[in-house]
Amino acid sequence: MLFRSAYGFKINRSHLDDRFTIALGKEQLLGVDTLSQISKTNRALLGINGSYFMSNGDPIGLLIRDFRLLSSPVLLRSCFGILDNGKAFIGRPEFQGEIVTEHGILKLEGLNQVSNSNATLLYTPEFGLKTNDYQDTIQLSIKNNEIVKIGENAMTIPKDGFIIRVSPARFPWISKLRTF
């Protein structure tokens, strides 16, 4: 016999404004922890698993914290959210982004994700200290809207910038970009 449980709750959010938070495993994007441990660490009254994660902690659903986009959704995964008015919802968000350069436009296909594909991805400091090594891609380190470093291996993500990972096979003009 299969047992399933469902739980409900009703909270007046005006009493919880200073207690409401989006928490991560080990307080980092690639952190792994159980929902019960995350709830305990944050002294939560209630914990909700509101996204999807790979076994390494890589979020594959939409993740927004303090009005900052931390991870883009993969494969139109559904997500749980709470609007400014306190209403909860479940939806299927889409991610669209692009970076415009003097030589062309890079269509972003993800944010802060571990991927072995040649997708064009953007990494912010929330991803961690460094990007990973990816075959057949180059990485551009950006600060103040200028390229400060170009490389093929893992890079340190600038605290006040970001890294773009791109495939030169898909965007041959990328080799025309230079550091300043």
Side-chain angles (χ1 to χ4, degrees), residues 6-25:
Y7 301 93
F9 63 93
K10 186 172 183 177
I11 297 174
N12 182 338
R13 186 158 177 240
S14 66
H15 298 291
L16 299 176
D17 281 341
D18 62 334
R19 293 285 315 261
F20 188 80
T21 188
I22 305 297
L24 301 169

Side-chain angles (χ1 to χ4, degrees), residues 58-102:
D58 184 19
I60 55 175
L62 177 70
L63 190 55
I64 300 172
R65 183 167 154 173
D66 298 328
F67 301 98
R68 186 166 166 95
L69 181 61
L70 301 182
S71 180
S72 59
V74 176
L75 303 174
L76 294 176
R77 300 254 183 206
S78 59
C79 71
F80 171 82
I82 297 182
L83 301 172
D84 287 341
N85 64 8
K87 298 280 185 188
F89 71 95
I90 295 175
R92 285 197 159 150
E94 293 182 37
F95 172 76
Q96 294 179 350
E98 54 185 31
I99 295 180
V100 178
T101 76
E102 61 193 55

Side-chain angles (χ1 to χ4, degrees), residues 120-155:
T120 303
L121 301 174
L122 187 134
Y123 296 94
T124 65
E126 288 85 2
F127 181 76
L129 182 62
K130 296 179 86 169
T131 60
N132 296 331
D133 282 325
Y134 299 102
Q135 288 187 320
D136 303 321
T137 63
I138 62 169
Q139 298 186 34
L140 310 169
S141 180
I142 312 291
K143 287 176 71 173
N144 300 318
N145 293 323
E146 293 184 350
I147 300 170
V148 295
K149 186 175 181 183
I150 300 173
E152 295 180 3
N153 299 321
M155 282 192 183

Side-chain angles (χ1 to χ4, degrees), residues 15-42:
H15 298 291
L16 299 176
D17 281 341
D18 62 334
R19 293 285 315 261
F20 188 80
T21 188
I22 305 297
L24 301 169
K26 309 279 191 265
E27 273 310 300
Q28 57 188 357
L29 274 181
L30 298 180
V32 179
D33 232 335
T34 63
L35 180 60
S36 58
Q37 184 58 48
I38 294 169
S39 298
K40 184 178 177 182
T41 299
N42 288 278

Side-chain angles (χ1 to χ4, degrees), residues 4 48 98 117:
R4 294 178 188 236
I48 300 171
E98 54 185 31
S117 74

